[in-house]
Amino acid sequence: VNTHQLQTPALVVDAGGLQHNLDTMAAALPGGRLRPHVKAHKTTALARRQVAAGHRTFTCATICEVEGMAAAGLGDDLLLANEVVDATRLGRVVATGARVTLAVDSEATIDAARDGGVHEVLIDVNVGLPRCGCAPEDAGRLAEMANAKGLSVRGVMGYEGHIVGLPDREQRAHLVEGCMQLLLQAHQAVGGELVSAGGTGTYDLNTWAGEIQAGSYVLMDTAYAQLGLPFVNALTVLATVISVNPAGWAVADCGLKALGMDHGNPRMADGAPVWFCSDEHITFAPTEGSPGYRVGDRVAVVPAHVDPTIAYHQTMHVVDGDAVLESWAVDLRGW
Ligand SMILES: Cc1ncc(COP(=O)(O)O)c(C=O)c1O
């Protein structure tokens, strides 16, 4: 199959870029030092490539991701790094023999783990991102409570999500240290073998966590590209030019329903300035001096945010130039 035969908009992954990112990360954080976050790609076939790169433990954001990873035989050690109030479906996954660890930050979520049949938990600690996680000084009490209710506490997690995207490396380095002091303080009270944290933007700066939960590194996006990390942009959305206006702009069939837009407009791979996206359209202008576009031309759009972009698509095509090497189902979508 050739990329010209793909129906657009189509999610396209450059095979060489993907391999570069897998290799680069596996060299920096080998084996269990990385717990790849599958929410970035939602694709068991890609998770298998991460296994081939040496990683056997995974981070998930949804129950559906845990179920899909376990069903695909990738359930050696799955962390649901998120709170749930009904863990029944997770208990069913545990009953199949997969290892599932659930983040908890309250009595209600501890009860949910116990009642649902999940036996292992991690105390989720708030290290500054206004999202889930208990206060660091409350972590010991929650761990005791979980133990008293018959759960095994594997340690702590604390995601520094407010830091990972800061463009200034020194600032990231400085701030991540403060976050991890809080997490280590909580770990002292909780105990256990796991201190789990970090993302793509702090993968090499967060030297306090025992394992890093990076996900975006494997495909990247324009937001993370600004950080000067050693990972390359391997993901584009292939689109078709459907209209060319003589006044100087062109329109392709890749709108905000095919792109995660919360980090801003995407970039055209050829450098053409993007004017705006609407539901099913992207409007852009040719760069000065370029021959312009014709209806039917294929163009590549680089998303600003990898995770929500992928969640819009059912299939991911792995390509080498114009050749489609493999087509993978984005099979961990939904909740
Ligand atoms: C709990 C958690 N850990 C880790 C990450 C890291 O992801 P990324 O690789 O995109 O920085 C995220 C992303 O939002 C997250 O929610």
Side-chain angles (χ1 to χ4, degrees):
V1 182
N2 191 284
T3 53
H4 296 283
Q5 294 164 272
L6 296 176
Q7 185 182 301
T8 56
L11 207 55
V12 160
V13 173
D14 173 60
L18 169 65
Q19 194 58 52
H20 167 87
N21 293 341
L22 288 165
D23 293 344
T24 304
M25 183 59 99
L29 299 176
R33 284 278 292 122
L34 183 75
R35 184 184 281 276
H37 208 318
V38 303
K39 82 184 172 69
H41 55 70
K42 287 187 175 285
T43 302
T44 54
L46 206 164
R48 284 209 177 83
R49 297 289 296 274
Q50 292 174 311
V51 170
H55 317 292
R56 297 208 60 85
T57 60
F58 286 95
T59 312
C60 300
T62 66
I63 293 174
C64 184
E65 288 169 3
V66 173
E67 289 173 332
M69 288 290 286
L74 299 168
D76 279 13
D77 187 345
L78 301 172
L79 166 63
L80 180 53
N82 209 354
E83 277 64 14
V84 302
V85 295
D86 182 352
T88 317
R89 284 165 58 199
L90 294 172
R92 278 189 219 124
V93 176
V94 172
T96 68
R99 184 173 196 188
V100 178
T101 304
L102 179 57
V104 295
D105 69 355
S106 65
E107 180 164 15
T109 49
I110 288 171
D111 286 348
R114 181 200 55 192
D115 297 345
V118 174
H119 314 302
E120 296 184 290
V121 296
L122 211 53
I123 306 297
D124 189 0
V125 180
N126 185 315
V127 295
L129 172 70
R131 214 170 65 178
C132 300
C134 68
E137 53 278 14
D138 209 22
R141 181 186 70 85
L142 286 171
E144 274 171 35
M145 182 189 290
N147 281 322
K149 293 184 192 238
L151 298 171
S152 157
V153 180
R154 292 185 69 192
V156 293
M157 70 159 267
Y159 174 53
E160 69 276 26
H162 55 309
I163 311 278
V164 291
L166 296 175
D168 186 87
R169 184 175 167 86
E170 270 179 41
Q171 194 190 18
R172 281 204 308 287
H174 171 68
L175 292 175
V176 73
E177 176 167 8
C179 295
M180 290 305 109
Q181 294 310 339
L182 296 174
L183 189 58
L184 293 183
Q185 172 199 328
H187 185 232
Q188 286 244 311
V190 169
E193 85 272 20
L194 293 184
V195 177
S196 195
T200 298
T202 54
Y203 84 100
D204 62 336
L205 297 172
N206 190 335
T207 50
W208 298 270
E211 57 176 43
I212 299 293
Q213 302 175 352
S216 302
Y217 79 94
V218 78
L219 296 172
M220 292 293 282
D221 53 34
T222 65
Y224 261 137
Q226 292 167 27
L227 270 58
L229 304 170
F231 309 109
V232 298
N233 216 307
L235 180 77
T236 51
V237 181
L238 187 66
T240 306
V241 176
I242 53 169
S243 182
V244 176
N245 192 290
W249 68 83
V251 182
D253 61 351
C254 171
L256 57 86
K257 288 181 179 171
L259 294 162
M261 297 281 293
D262 61 312
H263 289 170
N265 276 341
R267 203 168 55 69
M268 301 305 290
D270 65 4
V274 172
W275 287 8
F276 64 98
C277 290
S278 33
D279 280 354
E280 301 292 356
H281 304 94
I282 183 165
T283 299
F284 54 102
T287 37
E288 202 114 335
S290 88
Y293 299 97
R294 283 170 314 173
V295 172
D297 282 353
R298 289 292 170 101
V299 289
V301 181
V302 189
H305 193 183
V306 49
D307 314 54
T309 298
I310 287 179
Y312 282 126
H313 296 262
Q314 292 180 317
T315 311
M316 183 185 291
H317 304 281
V318 184
V319 308
D320 179 10
D322 287 342
V324 179
L325 307 178
E326 284 180 81
S327 293
W328 293 340
V330 184
D331 51 356
L332 302 175
R333 300 161 77 223
W335 288 272

